[in-house]
Amino acid sequence: MLTFLRRRVLTSLLPLLAVVLGVFVLARLTGNPTALYLPENATAQAREQFSAANGFDKPIWSQLLDYLSGVVRLDFGTSLRTGESAAVMALRAFPATLQLAAVTMLLACLVGTAVGCWAALRPNGLADRVSSLLSMTAASVPDFWLAILGIWVFAIMLGVLPTSGVDAGGLSWVLPIAVLMLRPAGVLTQVVRGAMISALGSPYVKVARSKGAGERRVVARHALKNAAPPALTVAGDLAVGLINGAVVVESIFGWPGIGKLLIDAILQRDFAVLQAAVAITAISIFVLNIAIDIGYALLDARVRQKVGAAA
Amino acid sequence: MTLLENPPEAPAPEAPDRPARANWFRMLLADPAAFVSALILLLVAFVAVFGRQLAGDSAIKGDLSLSRLAPFSLDHGWQYVLGGDLLGRSLLGRLMVATQTTMSVVVPVVLISLVIGASVGMWAGYHRGRRETVAMRIADVILSFPSLLMAVVVLYIFSPSIASIIAILAITRIPVYLRTARAESAELQTRLFVDAARTFGTPSGAIIRRHIFPIVLPTLLTVATVDFCYVMLAESSLSFLGIGVQPPDVSWGLMVAQGRDQLRTQWWLSVLPGLAIVITTVSANLLASWVRIATDPGQRWRLTVPRRRRRAAGPTVLETT
């Protein structure tokens, strides 16, 4: 298990390093990074001061070292807007996104598994058509438009839900989650449906049936258990992709999470905050990928055995 | 663009010339949804090319007397059938101009990522070994990071312009083609006909071009059609967030964003441009599933029998993309 984990950690570290280095390289590519940090109307003197204070006049290698040690200490400098530590701002926004993403993924998995199984049991039936409609919508409807449509119908025309913010308690969760859920639920439904159709046609299901196992037991214990690993892999990718949706949904609904922080940082040209938000996202993706690998190893008997043999 | 408009012309590697073409058209007719989608995409392509001329002044010069004109009335000429915005510009006209901007981002992105991803992928899959490992690792790194987040950082540092949007979106989409092309070409290079070509001393570049590429192409075209939707949604999201296409240029996503503040009084300013996006992406998706069936010799018969018999024949297990 440890050998397996060590290898996975090393391969997942690569993207994290690429992001951290990428931000540095991109920022230096533009020439003097003070242009990124300071507002456009800053005086030449202010630029020089800032440049000296942050070590931008030092050689590139020592700048890289400074930057890397800052990343390790989660020190990205202070926000231009608020004067607060950028890392603190990002860490404060992070739980809001995490809650939103966790609830969304949970609901998406439930819906995806339920509709997907139902569709697999009755191919070409009603559930099957619902599932293909769901996945088609998920792949074609822009989430920002769906969010606006939701605000228009439920907040403006019917007046039952708040337009934005988190003040309305449970009600303020409804629209963001509904919009965010669509894509993962649609994709998962298709994956579960496909995996279940092939699992239900396999010999071990026939064996279970011929031994007299009830339909519910066959579906839940035998077929679903074997359909789970591919769904889990896809769910992991979807969770990473949820960040894309979170940026859009949070900035429309005024959700105080990392996505909104990111867009605000861009629109107000606050580079330190941008860096911190990107780094925290990259780190959480890294953790998520490892968690998915462990889950996969626990679910799939073949991987579990190989892991056991290697350790 | 032609790649996406005319999938009926998509080359079937083993099909003979004239009867095959008639066949493709008949197979398109056999699937009404795909046929309508193809027509819609052709219309979008037409508007993308000629929209600016057709819309004329109505998209740029506002007529303040027509400000906030409600849609679905022909009283002020066809240009105002979808209503007008705050400045009295025709919404239909602006939509048509936006089509051009949107397509001028989406089509280059799809083409660039298709060409680069497919070439590197086929090359890596053919040669295997270290070249393959390096290419796949780079693709993994790009894919393992949310594309929008990457675009956000890059567009912060290099100010958003059409060229930089195209560049960043293309980079994030290259791995998709690279993976597909690599997998197929790695499998093909073990086949007998490739061995034969190698024995005759054909250089590897020619083998990839003449023997591997024609077989990989149908798959790549299917991926490209689905990817077309993805890129369109990504472009509109960026524009909607204010870091994509910048005013005075206009794209569909930007129009949704601009109409957002008037949602209470003029819902159509935001809702209708979004509907344009949905209609286009749904069409491309429907067409993509048709292409997937039509280019698969094992599934193609489904398009040659009546619909009812097709349904009775059992479920299709479509690969998820």
Side-chain angles (χ1 to χ4, degrees):
Chain A
M1 190 75 194
L2 278 177
T3 333
F4 168 77
L5 254 186
R6 200 177 314 138
R7 218 188 54 232
R8 296 303 311 173
V9 168
L10 284 180
T11 42
S12 312
L13 258 178
L14 207 60
L16 186 61
L17 270 176
V19 168
V20 167
L21 283 179
V23 170
F24 178 82
V25 171
L26 281 175
R28 297 308 184 275
L29 267 186
T30 53
N32 193 344
T34 51
L36 293 177
Y37 284 95
L38 294 183
E40 272 159 31
N41 54 6
T43 60
Q45 199 189 357
R47 279 179 204 280
E48 260 169 42
Q49 261 176 8
F50 187 82
S51 178
N54 288 280
F56 291 142
D57 46 358
K58 287 197 267 184
I60 193 91
W61 289 114
S62 80
Q63 279 187 45
L64 178 63
L65 280 181
D66 285 350
Y67 169 75
L68 286 180
S69 77
V71 172
V72 171
R73 286 179 283 119
L74 277 185
D75 174 12
F76 297 95
T78 52
S79 158
L80 270 185
R81 243 183 322 150
T82 60
E84 237 180 319
S85 154
V88 170
M89 287 173 73
L91 283 174
R92 197 173 45 219
F94 188 61
T97 303
L98 202 61
Q99 286 165 2
L100 194 64
V103 176
T104 305
M105 272 322 278
L106 191 71
L107 284 174
C109 286
L110 287 178
V111 170
T113 315
V115 181
C117 283
W118 188 21
L121 287 171
R122 281 183 201 76
N124 294 328
L126 174 71
D128 208 2
R129 258 171 268 170
V130 169
S131 91
S132 57
L133 187 74
L134 192 67
S135 62
M136 170 67 87
T137 329
S140 332
V141 178
D143 39 13
F144 60 87
W145 184 69
L146 198 68
I148 284 187
L149 217 56
I151 293 179
W152 180 48
V153 174
F154 292 104
I156 294 180
M157 278 163 65
L158 301 177
V160 288
L161 294 173
T163 49
S164 71
V166 285
D167 308 324
L171 282 182
S172 51
W173 287 72
V174 176
L175 278 181
I177 287 184
V179 172
L180 214 46
M181 216 180 96
L182 182 75
R183 193 175 157 67
V187 176
L188 275 174
T189 305
Q190 284 300 299
V191 173
V192 170
R193 174 185 174 273
M196 280 299 279
I197 285 181
S198 63
L200 283 172
S202 63
Y204 55 80
V205 164
K206 280 190 193 115
V207 171
R209 282 219 173 97
S210 59
K211 288 203 307 195
E215 187 64 26
R216 184 173 295 179
R217 192 179 161 79
V218 169
V219 171
R221 292 261 331 158
H222 297 272
L224 194 58
K225 202 173 167 191
N226 283 286
L232 183 72
T233 320
V234 175
D237 289 347
L238 287 171
V240 173
L242 213 56
I243 306 277
N244 281 344
V247 171
V248 172
V249 165
E250 282 179 8
S251 64
I252 292 181
F253 290 108
W255 196 268
I258 209 106
K260 184 166 165 17
L261 189 72
L262 202 65
I263 292 298
D264 286 350
I266 288 184
L267 297 180
Q268 294 160 340
R269 299 205 64 81
D270 200 341
F271 193 63
V273 176
L274 177 77
Q275 267 184 324
V278 167
I280 297 231
T281 316
I283 292 171
S284 51
I285 291 173
F286 166 71
V287 173
L288 178 77
N289 276 332
I290 296 193
I292 296 282
D293 282 329
I294 296 177
Y296 197 84
L298 293 179
L299 266 179
D300 192 321
R302 282 165 304 185
V303 180
R304 196 164 48 209
Q305 259 166 16
K306 218 189 293 170
V307 168
Chain B
M1 198 67 220
T2 43
L3 284 183
L4 301 162
E5 285 155 30
N6 305 328
E9 312 268 329
E14 71 284 356
D17 255 324
R18 279 216 51 90
R21 193 159 293 176
N23 244 337
W24 283 109
F25 188 67
R26 203 175 310 138
M27 281 201 300
L28 189 59
L29 278 180
D31 191 339
F35 183 67
V36 173
S37 319
L39 288 184
I40 290 176
L41 289 181
L42 276 176
L43 179 71
V44 170
F46 177 78
V47 171
V49 177
F50 298 107
R52 211 172 276 265
Q53 284 84 335
L54 281 176
D57 277 351
S58 66
I60 308 150
K61 282 205 195 109
D63 179 349
L64 281 176
S65 66
L66 297 178
S67 166
R68 307 172 180 221
L69 185 72
F72 311 125
S73 104
L74 277 171
D75 297 348
H76 300 277
W78 63 272
Q79 280 146 327
Y80 284 90
V81 69
L82 293 184
D85 65 3
L86 269 184
L87 301 174
R89 294 174 294 194
S90 124
L91 187 66
L92 182 63
R94 276 170 65 76
L95 265 180
M96 287 160 75
V97 174
T99 314
Q100 194 170 36
T101 324
T102 302
M103 290 306 145
S104 70
V105 173
V106 175
V107 174
V109 169
V110 172
L111 288 181
I112 292 172
S113 47
L114 175 68
V115 169
I116 297 181
S119 332
V120 177
M122 286 189 298
W123 170 80
Y126 179 80
H127 290 290
R128 311 296 308 254
R130 198 182 303 154
R131 284 171 263 202
E132 188 184 24
T133 318
V134 171
M136 291 310 286
R137 254 305 103 75
I138 295 176
D140 284 346
V141 168
I142 298 179
L143 269 188
S144 71
F145 208 66
S147 51
L148 196 63
L149 206 55
M150 206 141 71
V152 156
V153 178
V154 173
L155 292 177
Y156 178 94
I157 294 173
F158 306 98
S159 53
S161 67
I162 302 251
S164 58
I165 301 169
I166 292 177
I168 183 63
L169 285 180
I171 289 174
T172 58
R173 297 321 285 167
I174 285 175
V176 178
Y177 301 97
L178 199 152
R179 280 190 168 178
T180 315
R182 190 222 51 105
E184 295 236 342
S185 110
E187 196 265 324
L188 287 171
Q189 63 100 24
T190 63
R191 297 266 197 92
L192 202 57
F193 65 89
V194 175
D195 261 347
R198 228 179 263 140
T199 319
F200 289 130
T202 319
S204 57
I207 295 184
I208 292 177
R209 223 170 29 246
R210 301 286 298 270
H211 299 282
I212 293 185
F213 174 67
I215 303 185
V216 184
L217 188 63
T219 320
L220 286 175
L221 286 184
T222 316
V223 176
T225 325
V226 176
D227 210 46
F228 173 80
C229 301
Y230 186 93
V231 174
M232 228 177 93
L233 294 184
E235 184 276 323
S236 6
S237 298
L238 287 177
S239 301
F240 176 82
L241 291 170
I243 45 177
V245 172
Q246 302 288 320
D249 278 339
V250 56
S251 87
W252 289 345
L254 189 61
M255 286 177 76
V256 177
Q258 288 171 340
R260 205 178 134 192
D261 298 331
Q262 281 91 49
L263 200 57
R264 223 168 266 278
T265 48
Q266 296 156 278
W267 55 268
W268 56 90
L269 290 184
S270 218
V271 173
L272 293 182
L275 203 59
I277 302 177
V278 174
I279 291 174
T280 315
T281 47
V282 166
S283 305
N285 267 323
L286 285 174
L287 200 63
S289 69
W290 176 85
V291 173
R292 196 175 309 156
I293 296 174
T295 53
D296 180 350
Q299 300 260 331
R300 199 177 291 158
W301 60 271
R302 288 176 187 278
L303 294 172
T304 56
V305 295
R307 190 158 266 268
R308 196 156 301 148
R309 294 228 319 268
R310 206 185 309 159
R311 192 155 274 163
T316 37
V317 182
L318 293 179
E319 290 149 52
T320 44
T321 45

